[in-house]
Amino acid sequence: MDSRVVNKGQLPELLDKLARDHTLIAPVREEENVTLFKKVSGASEVQLDYITSDVSPKGCIFPQTEKTISYTYTGDTLEMKEQDEPPKTVLFGVRPCDINSILALDPVFEGKFLDTYYLEKRKNTVIIGLSCSTILSTCFCTAFNSGPCDGKGADLMFTELGDKYYVEVNTEKGSSLVEAYSQYFSKGDTDKLAKAKEEQAKKLEGQFRRKVDLEGVKQVLDENFELPYWDKVFKKCLGCGICTYVCPTCHCFDIFDYVTGEFTGDRFRCWDSCMFPDFTLMAGGHNPRPSRKERVRNRFMHKLKYHLDRYNLDGCVGCGRCISKCPVNIDITQIIKDLKEVGQNA
Ligand code: SF4
Ligand code: SF4
């Protein structure tokens, strides 16, 4: 792995240049202190000191709503216009848990059926990660083989160390970007900074307040589809779906057609939520998940079992958003603890 150094004072200029040459998407603080990722025109709009964004950056590759095709019926034929190729994009300032979530989404969209809408954006996006410097009480990424300075999945990983950023160059995409903007990336004292980064990572890992141990949890779910425990958990849930909308690994979507004229229309896809009753409602009226109990169980089964079964990857990355945003304090780390206990008492 190659590494470089960027002087902190030069970062604004680098971001301005990236925004001029690409679509630059970065964390931005909106009204009412909401932090989300959006297109910026330069460094002055970027919020570097955020901890966990309220809305994850997954929407940059898998948008909340996107038009997939437009169509015109000409009498004999149906003409379809696909999406334009997505612009060359730099996604800057992504925290390790959210990078990990993109790795969890990749096999979903690149499985038996190739989802070109996702894959084209993914191909055209350079991910620049930014190590965390503060740990929230809801963070638990270390439970999923990650950590506050983990650069796995990032093309370039920036770690702030004093008046410098230590930059790990992890991929070809990252290397090309470094080459194109070489005036900002010096060879500097990378060995010293690599050590400083390791120390910083260790120090931060000691600050996690949630000690989450997943040992045995999947086995409990493998062996027990019906558990009296779910009767207790679901009663609190309001079915609002917030947990699924803020989750960086949730990926369910709906497709609908919007008729724009007598013979024309647009097809959209938009995020959906397995917490909604009509998510599994079939045309004949049957619903295999008729109550909140089945829907709550499904959500946790998906995070802690199904994603692992399908892709050998965790379906949760420990970002903690569903914990901090759930209006009735349903806490996935408590569920993990409870399921462990179920296993131990079996
Ligand atoms: S955010 Fe909480 S209340 Fe809302 S659907 Fe999720 S678990 Fe239920
Ligand atoms: S389940 Fe909760 S903690 Fe896990 S990735 Fe989704 S929002 Fe984050």
Side-chain angles (χ1 to χ4, degrees), residues 140 243 246-249 299 303 315-322 332:
F140 62 109
C243 49
V246 295
C247 180
T249 64
R299 185 170 117 71
K303 298 296 159 201
C316 172
V317 292
C319 73
R321 288 185 181 92
C322 61
I332 186 168

PDB file of all heavy atoms in Angstrom, residues 140 243 246-249 299 303 315-322 332, ligand 2:
ATOM      1  N   PHE A 140     -20.691   1.394  17.240  1.00  0.00           N
ATOM      2  CA  PHE A 140     -20.159   0.056  17.583  1.00  0.00           C
ATOM      3  C   PHE A 140     -19.585  -0.647  16.346  1.00  0.00           C
ATOM      4  O   PHE A 140     -19.676  -1.858  16.201  1.00  0.00           O
ATOM      5  CB  PHE A 140     -21.220  -0.796  18.301  1.00  0.00           C
ATOM      6  CG  PHE A 140     -22.469  -1.117  17.512  1.00  0.00           C
ATOM      7  CD1 PHE A 140     -22.712  -2.404  17.045  1.00  0.00           C
ATOM      8  CD2 PHE A 140     -23.421  -0.154  17.256  1.00  0.00           C
ATOM      9  CE1 PHE A 140     -23.860  -2.729  16.329  1.00  0.00           C
ATOM     10  CE2 PHE A 140     -24.583  -0.449  16.531  1.00  0.00           C
ATOM     11  CZ  PHE A 140     -24.790  -1.736  16.074  1.00  0.00           C
ATOM     12  N   CYS A 243     -35.714   3.665  10.939  1.00  0.00           N
ATOM     13  CA  CYS A 243     -34.499   2.844  11.055  1.00  0.00           C
ATOM     14  C   CYS A 243     -34.006   2.385   9.685  1.00  0.00           C
ATOM     15  O   CYS A 243     -32.799   2.319   9.447  1.00  0.00           O
ATOM     16  CB  CYS A 243     -34.764   1.645  11.968  1.00  0.00           C
ATOM     17  SG  CYS A 243     -36.262   0.747  11.569  1.00  0.00           S
ATOM     18  N   VAL A 246     -32.522   5.477   7.535  1.00  0.00           N
ATOM     19  CA  VAL A 246     -31.199   6.000   7.924  1.00  0.00           C
ATOM     20  C   VAL A 246     -30.110   4.925   7.831  1.00  0.00           C
ATOM     21  O   VAL A 246     -28.934   5.245   7.904  1.00  0.00           O
ATOM     22  CB  VAL A 246     -31.198   6.614   9.348  1.00  0.00           C
ATOM     23  CG1 VAL A 246     -32.092   7.835   9.416  1.00  0.00           C
ATOM     24  CG2 VAL A 246     -31.575   5.592  10.416  1.00  0.00           C
ATOM     25  N   CYS A 247     -30.514   3.688   7.673  1.00  0.00           N
ATOM     26  CA  CYS A 247     -29.527   2.603   7.673  1.00  0.00           C
ATOM     27  C   CYS A 247     -28.715   2.603   6.374  1.00  0.00           C
ATOM     28  O   CYS A 247     -29.287   2.582   5.283  1.00  0.00           O
ATOM     29  CB  CYS A 247     -30.220   1.254   7.846  1.00  0.00           C
ATOM     30  SG  CYS A 247     -29.035  -0.101   7.836  1.00  0.00           S
ATOM     31  N   PRO A 248     -27.392   2.595   6.469  1.00  0.00           N
ATOM     32  CA  PRO A 248     -26.581   2.633   5.247  1.00  0.00           C
ATOM     33  C   PRO A 248     -26.549   1.315   4.485  1.00  0.00           C
ATOM     34  O   PRO A 248     -26.076   1.277   3.350  1.00  0.00           O
ATOM     35  CB  PRO A 248     -25.184   2.988   5.768  1.00  0.00           C
ATOM     36  CG  PRO A 248     -25.150   2.472   7.160  1.00  0.00           C
ATOM     37  CD  PRO A 248     -26.540   2.614   7.691  1.00  0.00           C
ATOM     38  N   THR A 249     -27.038   0.220   5.103  1.00  0.00           N
ATOM     39  CA  THR A 249     -27.014  -1.058   4.378  1.00  0.00           C
ATOM     40  C   THR A 249     -28.397  -1.464   3.858  1.00  0.00           C
ATOM     41  O   THR A 249     -28.501  -2.411   3.086  1.00  0.00           O
ATOM     42  CB  THR A 249     -26.467  -2.202   5.262  1.00  0.00           C
ATOM     43  OG1 THR A 249     -27.365  -2.401   6.350  1.00  0.00           O
ATOM     44  CG2 THR A 249     -25.082  -1.911   5.791  1.00  0.00           C
ATOM     45  N   ARG A 299     -36.446  -7.480  10.055  1.00  0.00           N
ATOM     46  CA  ARG A 299     -35.369  -6.474  10.004  1.00  0.00           C
ATOM     47  C   ARG A 299     -34.112  -6.959  10.729  1.00  0.00           C
ATOM     48  O   ARG A 299     -33.007  -6.890  10.206  1.00  0.00           O
ATOM     49  CB  ARG A 299     -35.835  -5.156  10.605  1.00  0.00           C
ATOM     50  CG  ARG A 299     -34.803  -4.057  10.460  1.00  0.00           C
ATOM     51  CD  ARG A 299     -35.373  -2.715  10.827  1.00  0.00           C
ATOM     52  NE  ARG A 299     -34.718  -2.146  11.969  1.00  0.00           N
ATOM     53  CZ  ARG A 299     -33.476  -1.672  11.996  1.00  0.00           C
ATOM     54  NH1 ARG A 299     -32.735  -1.708  10.917  1.00  0.00           N
ATOM     55  NH2 ARG A 299     -32.968  -1.176  13.094  1.00  0.00           N
ATOM     56  N   LYS A 303     -30.375  -8.072   9.247  1.00  0.00           N
ATOM     57  CA  LYS A 303     -29.101  -7.460   9.670  1.00  0.00           C
ATOM     58  C   LYS A 303     -28.119  -8.493  10.219  1.00  0.00           C
ATOM     59  O   LYS A 303     -26.918  -8.374  10.015  1.00  0.00           O
ATOM     60  CB  LYS A 303     -29.350  -6.401  10.762  1.00  0.00           C
ATOM     61  CG  LYS A 303     -30.204  -5.237  10.323  1.00  0.00           C
ATOM     62  CD  LYS A 303     -29.524  -4.450   9.243  1.00  0.00           C
ATOM     63  CE  LYS A 303     -30.517  -3.625   8.461  1.00  0.00           C
ATOM     64  NZ  LYS A 303     -30.032  -3.236   7.144  1.00  0.00           N
ATOM     65  N   GLY A 315     -24.721  -7.527   7.747  1.00  0.00           N
ATOM     66  CA  GLY A 315     -25.777  -6.636   7.248  1.00  0.00           C
ATOM     67  C   GLY A 315     -25.894  -5.374   8.083  1.00  0.00           C
ATOM     68  O   GLY A 315     -26.725  -4.518   7.814  1.00  0.00           O
ATOM     69  N   CYS A 316     -25.069  -5.280   9.108  1.00  0.00           N
ATOM     70  CA  CYS A 316     -25.029  -4.084   9.954  1.00  0.00           C
ATOM     71  C   CYS A 316     -23.564  -3.677  10.026  1.00  0.00           C
ATOM     72  O   CYS A 316     -22.676  -4.532  10.006  1.00  0.00           O
ATOM     73  CB  CYS A 316     -25.556  -4.423  11.344  1.00  0.00           C
ATOM     74  SG  CYS A 316     -25.345  -3.107  12.562  1.00  0.00           S
ATOM     75  N   VAL A 317     -23.314  -2.385  10.095  1.00  0.00           N
ATOM     76  CA  VAL A 317     -21.917  -1.934  10.180  1.00  0.00           C
ATOM     77  C   VAL A 317     -21.654  -1.153  11.459  1.00  0.00           C
ATOM     78  O   VAL A 317     -20.590  -0.557  11.627  1.00  0.00           O
ATOM     79  CB  VAL A 317     -21.521  -1.100   8.930  1.00  0.00           C
ATOM     80  CG1 VAL A 317     -21.482  -1.976   7.687  1.00  0.00           C
ATOM     81  CG2 VAL A 317     -22.459   0.089   8.731  1.00  0.00           C
ATOM     82  N   GLY A 318     -22.648  -1.129  12.339  1.00  0.00           N
ATOM     83  CA  GLY A 318     -22.445  -0.499  13.646  1.00  0.00           C
ATOM     84  C   GLY A 318     -22.404   1.017  13.633  1.00  0.00           C
ATOM     85  O   GLY A 318     -21.783   1.626  14.503  1.00  0.00           O
ATOM     86  N   CYS A 319     -23.106   1.636  12.671  1.00  0.00           N
ATOM     87  CA  CYS A 319     -23.077   3.108  12.601  1.00  0.00           C
ATOM     88  C   CYS A 319     -23.881   3.744  13.732  1.00  0.00           C
ATOM     89  O   CYS A 319     -23.665   4.904  14.085  1.00  0.00           O
ATOM     90  CB  CYS A 319     -23.604   3.595  11.256  1.00  0.00           C
ATOM     91  SG  CYS A 319     -25.393   3.433  11.053  1.00  0.00           S
ATOM     92  N   GLY A 320     -24.853   2.996  14.273  1.00  0.00           N
ATOM     93  CA  GLY A 320     -25.631   3.495  15.415  1.00  0.00           C
ATOM     94  C   GLY A 320     -26.783   4.414  15.049  1.00  0.00           C
ATOM     95  O   GLY A 320     -27.487   4.907  15.937  1.00  0.00           O
ATOM     96  N   ARG A 321     -27.011   4.658  13.749  1.00  0.00           N
ATOM     97  CA  ARG A 321     -28.071   5.614  13.381  1.00  0.00           C
ATOM     98  C   ARG A 321     -29.456   5.131  13.821  1.00  0.00           C
ATOM     99  O   ARG A 321     -30.270   5.906  14.292  1.00  0.00           O
ATOM    100  CB  ARG A 321     -28.084   5.842  11.861  1.00  0.00           C
ATOM    101  CG  ARG A 321     -26.926   6.664  11.341  1.00  0.00           C
ATOM    102  CD  ARG A 321     -27.100   6.925   9.848  1.00  0.00           C
ATOM    103  NE  ARG A 321     -26.000   7.692   9.301  1.00  0.00           N
ATOM    104  CZ  ARG A 321     -24.901   7.162   8.760  1.00  0.00           C
ATOM    105  NH1 ARG A 321     -24.757   5.861   8.691  1.00  0.00           N
ATOM    106  NH2 ARG A 321     -23.954   7.944   8.286  1.00  0.00           N
ATOM    107  N   CYS A 322     -29.716   3.818  13.630  1.00  0.00           N
ATOM    108  CA  CYS A 322     -31.060   3.338  13.976  1.00  0.00           C
ATOM    109  C   CYS A 322     -31.295   3.459  15.478  1.00  0.00           C
ATOM    110  O   CYS A 322     -32.431   3.598  15.925  1.00  0.00           O
ATOM    111  CB  CYS A 322     -31.286   1.907  13.485  1.00  0.00           C
ATOM    112  SG  CYS A 322     -30.154   0.700  14.182  1.00  0.00           S
ATOM    113  N   ILE A 332     -30.525  -1.957  18.538  1.00  0.00           N
ATOM    114  CA  ILE A 332     -30.023  -3.222  17.971  1.00  0.00           C
ATOM    115  C   ILE A 332     -28.959  -3.860  18.871  1.00  0.00           C
ATOM    116  O   ILE A 332     -28.856  -5.078  18.943  1.00  0.00           O
ATOM    117  CB  ILE A 332     -29.502  -3.014  16.519  1.00  0.00           C
ATOM    118  CG1 ILE A 332     -29.125  -4.360  15.881  1.00  0.00           C
ATOM    119  CG2 ILE A 332     -28.354  -2.033  16.441  1.00  0.00           C
ATOM    120  CD1 ILE A 332     -28.864  -4.320  14.389  1.00  0.00           C
TER     121      ILE A 332
HETATM  122  S1  SF4 B   2     -28.765  -1.647  11.537  1.00  0.00           S
HETATM  123 FE1  SF4 B   2     -28.556   0.318  12.622  1.00  0.00          FE
HETATM  124  S2  SF4 B   2     -26.473   0.326  13.430  1.00  0.00           S
HETATM  125 FE2  SF4 B   2     -26.573  -1.289  11.876  1.00  0.00          FE
HETATM  126  S3  SF4 B   2     -25.890  -0.300   9.974  1.00  0.00           S
HETATM  127 FE3  SF4 B   2     -28.129  -0.124  10.021  1.00  0.00          FE
HETATM  128  S4  SF4 B   2     -28.554   1.861  10.994  1.00  0.00           S
HETATM  129 FE4  SF4 B   2     -26.399   1.349  11.410  1.00  0.00          FE
END
